[in-house]
Amino acid sequence: MIARAVILLVLIAALAICLVFLFRSLHPKKDPATTAKTESETEESLEESTEESGESEPDYASISVAEMPEAANYKSDDKQYSMALAAKLAAMYDYDTAIAVLQGYTGAADDPDIKEYIGRYTNAKASLVPVNTDTVPHIFYHSLVNDYRGFSIELQGDMVAKGNNCWMTTAEEFNTINQQMYDAGCVLIKLRDIAKETKAADGTVSFTPNDSLLLPEGKKAVIMSEDDLSYYHSYDGQGFASKLIVDTDGVVKNEYTDENGLKHIGSYDVPTLLEDFIQQHPDFSYHNAHCIIALTGYNGVLGYRTDEACVTGKDYAGRDISSEKKAFLAANPDYDLETERAEAKKVADAMKAQGFEFCSHTWGHMRAGSSSLETLTNDQKAFRENVVPVVGDVDTIIFAHGEDIGDWHDYSMENEKFKMYKSEGYNFFCNVDGSTPYWIQIRDNYVRTGRVDLDGYRLYQAMVGEEHSVADCNAVGIHDIDSFFSSWRPTPVELRG
């Protein structure tokens, strides 16, 4: 019995050895170099197969939506460009225009790739969900600080340095916030996207909440604005950019002079840095929305001295121009108002093509709540005559100092200031209210939002745990503020009036 068991074990072992050799002969061990070559060849084969079948994702990195013709008139025999442009539009959730562009390709009817992508975009659109327009945050910035000088008491004095520390954001902080917002699923929309506007035969407009504002599940709509994009004389030497220009490639950039006196052309403020980010992440923008720029006029706009006071020597109220304006004119004896306006308009037109919008911040940075009706009426006249010729008509006013023309109750025509602004074509009104992440009124004859300042004071308050500031930051995905809060800033950050 024992002998039989031993024989059986020997036979089983011999069979196992035979199976091992058989397996090795069928599956020889690969040489690493041969393996790498084989895998590389496989990838190339897949790429070729993908290209032949049209399954590769269109490359839209170099596509500018700003250069796109009207979709209804779009016609092209360039399949690659048409697919890339459509992909860029689809990334910005504009599926209808993306489909129209694909259909505008001359060979669309018989092209399987075009049909496939039309199907993809149709399905993607069907999966979108409505945005709750009552819970859309509206965040804002002032011009960005690019170096330590803006916060230096030694260089700027106590009042200016502490004001910058409170009201301003650094370029690095802005970039980090954009990335955090993007990672949290935030998507920029235009202020006007939250409401449907209907115009009657007599030109009267009315508004209702926009139930056609759609985004993918989990995305969060956010409005962004920037105040005071004029590059005031008083900003000189504080680490701000000095103006916006259109470079030789037709791209809007900043001029910025660093602490060593070296001039740079690049991205140094909200519009240029935001445009860079959206070019890299088009899905951060709904239908190419960027931000709305709130302009005063007393020191010109966009870094250009476009106000007629530079010629007359008096402002609209008959007051002498400031010593800073006088110094500027003395240093620029060849100054010409129309040339300045033409250069500024060139920049404004390029910015509008990119997706930016402009609005009033009042000509003189007025406190609208406490100023008289007469003062605001004259101020609006100055804005109309000095700013509108450069940036075009506007229908939005972002109140300087955040000071509204009414309390939280609805506006009415009994409010003479509201009545005046309505007569001037204004329909959108914005104040500042950091006590809540969002505050929106969509009424029959106007739209109003509160705004949250993402500046040094708000970031510092959130960093130290102040309840409202934490909620404001959480609403747009901002976190771990201590990891990006600028080391240039003195702390604590004091609230300035």
Side-chain angles (χ1 to χ4, degrees):
M1 184 70 85
I2 294 174
R4 287 181 179 178
V6 170
I7 293 171
L8 181 61
L9 288 172
V10 170
L11 290 173
I12 291 172
L15 179 61
I17 292 170
C18 290
L19 288 173
V20 168
F21 278 106
L22 177 63
F23 180 82
R24 287 183 175 178
S25 66
L26 293 174
H27 300 280
K29 186 176 180 180
K30 296 179 181 179
D31 177 74
T34 305
T35 302
K37 182 179 179 181
T38 302
E39 290 175 351
S40 175
E41 290 173 349
T42 300
E43 289 175 1
E44 290 176 3
S45 175
L46 285 172
E47 288 175 1
E48 290 173 1
S49 174
T50 300
E51 289 173 1
E52 289 172 4
S53 65
E55 294 177 0
S56 62
E57 292 298 323
D59 180 13
Y60 54 70
S62 62
I63 298 293
S64 172
V65 176
E67 300 172 357
M68 189 199 76
E70 290 294 327
N73 302 320
Y74 181 85
K75 296 294 179 185
S76 175
D77 57 4
D78 187 335
K79 175 181 174 180
Q80 183 178 8
Y81 179 80
S82 298
M83 292 188 69
L85 177 56
K88 183 77 171 273
L89 291 161
M92 292 179 163
Y93 318 103
D94 191 355
Y95 296 111
D96 286 339
T97 308
I99 290 169
V101 164
L102 291 178
Q103 291 172 334
Y105 167 59
T106 52
D110 302 315
D111 192 294
D113 299 332
I114 299 295
K115 291 180 180 179
E116 177 189 349
Y117 276 88
I118 288 175
R120 286 192 190 187
Y121 299 153
T122 300
N123 292 336
K125 179 185 175 182
S127 70
L128 302 179
V129 296
V131 171
N132 182 352
T133 55
D134 289 331
T135 61
V136 176
H138 185 167
I139 60 173
F140 80 98
Y141 301 90
H142 292 92
S143 287
L144 303 178
V145 179
N146 291 278
D147 61 64
Y148 75 94
R149 289 174 294 166
F151 305 120
S152 171
I153 293 176
E154 290 75 17
L155 293 175
Q156 310 303 338
D158 188 77
M159 184 175 71
V160 171
K162 287 183 177 179
N164 287 340
N165 200 20
C166 174
W167 302 316
M168 305 305 184
T169 310
T170 71
E172 289 187 2
E173 288 168 341
F174 176 76
N175 287 337
T176 301
I177 289 170
N178 280 342
Q179 186 64 56
Q180 289 192 352
M181 287 175 58
Y182 176 76
D183 293 342
C186 291
V187 177
L188 296 184
I189 66 169
K190 296 178 180 179
L191 171 60
R192 64 187 68 256
D193 285 332
I194 64 176
K196 281 185 177 179
E197 180 177 330
T198 303
K199 183 173 288 188
D202 63 358
T204 303
V205 296
S206 60
F207 300 93
T208 56
N210 186 4
D211 56 7
S212 298
L213 178 58
L214 307 172
L215 286 174
E217 185 78 43
K219 294 292 186 179
K220 176 68 176 178
V222 179
I223 302 163
M224 182 188 293
S225 54
E226 182 185 13
D227 294 359
D228 300 294
L229 193 64
S230 295
Y231 303 114
Y232 302 127
H233 292 302
S234 60
Y235 282 7
D236 292 349
Q238 296 182 40
F240 298 105
S242 57
K243 63 167 37 175
L244 289 156
I245 64 168
V246 179
D247 70 11
T248 54
D249 295 322
V251 178
V252 177
K253 293 295 180 183
N254 285 112
E255 282 187 2
Y256 157 68
T257 302
D258 66 22
E259 61 268 37
N260 298 313
L262 299 176
K263 183 178 287 188
H264 304 268
I265 304 298
S267 300
Y268 297 99
D269 205 347
V270 170
T272 48
L273 289 170
L274 180 61
E275 173 66 10
D276 291 346
F277 192 84
I278 290 174
Q279 284 296 321
Q280 295 171 8
H281 308 284
D283 51 334
F284 188 52
S285 169
Y286 170 81
H287 291 210
N288 200 36
H290 283 54
C291 79
I292 186 166
I293 307 297
L295 296 171
T296 60
Y298 69 92
N299 239 176
V301 298
L302 310 176
Y304 299 85
R305 306 311 165 199
T306 54
D307 191 70
E308 62 187 356
C310 289
V311 174
T312 65
K314 303 281 186 181
D315 70 10
Y316 73 88
R319 295 169 296 210
D320 286 341
I321 60 176
S322 67
S323 59
E324 293 166 328
K325 278 185 180 177
K326 290 177 181 177
F328 166 77
L329 292 171
N332 295 273
D334 296 329
Y335 168 84
D336 179 73
L337 176 62
E338 294 310 315
T339 299
E340 288 286 294
R341 287 186 172 182
E343 289 300 308
K345 188 177 187 304
K346 186 189 304 182
V347 174
D349 289 346
M351 291 178 68
K352 286 190 287 187
Q354 287 178 341
F356 293 92
E357 296 182 290
F358 294 99
C359 72
S360 172
H361 201 42
T362 73
W363 176 88
H365 207 266
M366 307 301 295
R367 292 185 179 273
S370 52
S371 296
S372 69
L373 174 62
E374 180 182 7
T375 297
L376 293 180
T377 301
N378 290 332
D379 178 272
Q380 169 57 25
K381 181 175 183 291
F383 186 89
R384 187 189 334 116
E385 293 177 351
N386 290 279
V387 181
V388 170
V390 175
V391 302
D393 292 331
V394 300
D395 64 354
T396 301
I397 183 165
I398 288 177
F399 294 116
H401 307 281
E403 193 173 296
D404 208 328
I405 54 174
D407 61 17
W408 60 271
H409 293 93
D410 288 8
Y411 290 148
S412 76
M413 284 301 184
E414 294 178 0
N415 182 328
E416 292 296 330
K417 295 176 183 178
F418 174 66
K419 185 176 180 180
M420 182 274 290
Y421 281 123
K422 281 290 294 182
S423 72
E424 289 285 332
Y426 290 95
N427 295 309
F428 296 84
F429 302 81
C430 304
N431 56 42
V432 175
D433 184 0
S435 67
T436 178
Y438 35 77
W439 185 84
I440 294 173
Q441 288 181 341
I442 301 175
R443 302 295 186 258
D444 182 62
N445 61 341
Y446 73 91
V447 176
R448 181 162 60 150
T449 76
R451 300 186 303 152
V452 173
D453 45 318
L454 293 184
D455 50 26
Y457 182 75
R458 183 70 54 202
L459 293 175
Y460 179 76
Q461 287 295 305
M463 188 168 65
V464 299
E466 192 277 319
E467 179 182 0
H468 295 301
S469 298
V470 170
D472 291 338
C473 290
N474 285 345
V476 292
I478 301 173
H479 58 88
D480 297 327
I481 296 171
D482 57 340
S483 69
F484 66 85
F485 192 76
S486 178
S487 60
W488 297 328
R489 295 183 179 277
T491 54
V493 178
E494 300 176 8
L495 178 63
R496 311 295 288 182

